[in-house]
Amino acid sequence: MRIDVVSLFPEFIAQCAGFGVVGRAQERALLSLHGWNPRDYAEGGYRRVDDRPFGGGPGMVMMIEPLQACLAATRAADPVVGPVIYLTPQGTPLTQAKVRQLAALPRLILLCGRYEGVDERLVAAEVDEEISIGDYVLSGGELGAAVVIDAVARLQEGALNDAESAIQDSFESDGLLDCPHYTHPASHALGEVPAVLRSGDHAAIARWRRQQALGRTWLRRPDLLDEASLSKADRALLEAFRRDSLPPSGEGGA
Ligand code: ADE
């Protein structure tokens, strides 16, 4: 997969993407990343890329011309076609389902805004999709681009050493949160590893993990449970989890 990033700070993206799974995906040629700086396509001695907003108000707006020229050069660098995705808090919230869709494409062009954003005419003419990584405002789209790159890189075939781990992660198993994980030592001042995980009973372990995933989702993200398709066995596991987490009868509650 090829990802092009249009940003005033292309080095930032290169740095972010140089480590761990994303770095390895690049080394294994599963991902090729290319940075493009709109300033290189700006006219004049100052290579200006932003200007004051019409109508007044604080901040600056990224101008059409340097971004348009930069995007044209980006597209021309490879005949493979991919959507232009603008990272902005006004975009559609990123989900694992969206990540899966993007990861299956041969190319993405990520457009990072700075300042107050990008001239809306450029967005209307050149952008296929707007994505937000959450309901908060960052000082630019670069961190959003880094998040998209990380999330899609780890889904490339061969990027993870243990392909299972992607499937078992949060949101990959039916949109539920992940179960808790433990490693050695089994006994520690901070607590014991649950006995079932040391039992060697694989069916019981799978059941416990599923129940923990269901229970955690119920406790922390009940909105996700509404979307998940639960089997009869899942419902029974969740019911038992709920019962166990209720205070003993007579204490509190109505
Ligand atoms: N740029 C600024 N804030 C952002 C956000 N929340 N998501 C994506 N891009 C952004």
Side-chain angles (χ1 to χ4, degrees), residues 182 185-193:
Y182 300 87
S187 193
H188 187 274
L190 294 184
E192 303 289 313
V193 171

Side-chain angles (χ1 to χ4, degrees), residues 229-250:
S229 52
L230 302 187
S231 66
K232 218 171 140 197
D234 285 336
R235 288 181 199 287
L237 285 173
L238 181 55
E239 199 38 53
F241 184 98
R242 280 179 169 141
R243 264 199 315 273
D244 290 348
S245 59
L246 287 175
S249 59

Side-chain angles (χ1 to χ4, degrees), residues 83 208 223 242 254:
W208 181 88
D223 57 304
R242 280 179 169 141

Side-chain angles (χ1 to χ4, degrees), residues 28-48:
R28 293 179 180 173
L30 304 171
L31 172 71
S32 66
L33 261 185
H34 306 265
W36 300 83
N37 194 336
R39 209 175 285 286
D40 295 337
Y41 299 85
E43 304 278 320
Y46 291 108
R47 297 196 164 273
R48 185 162 194 183

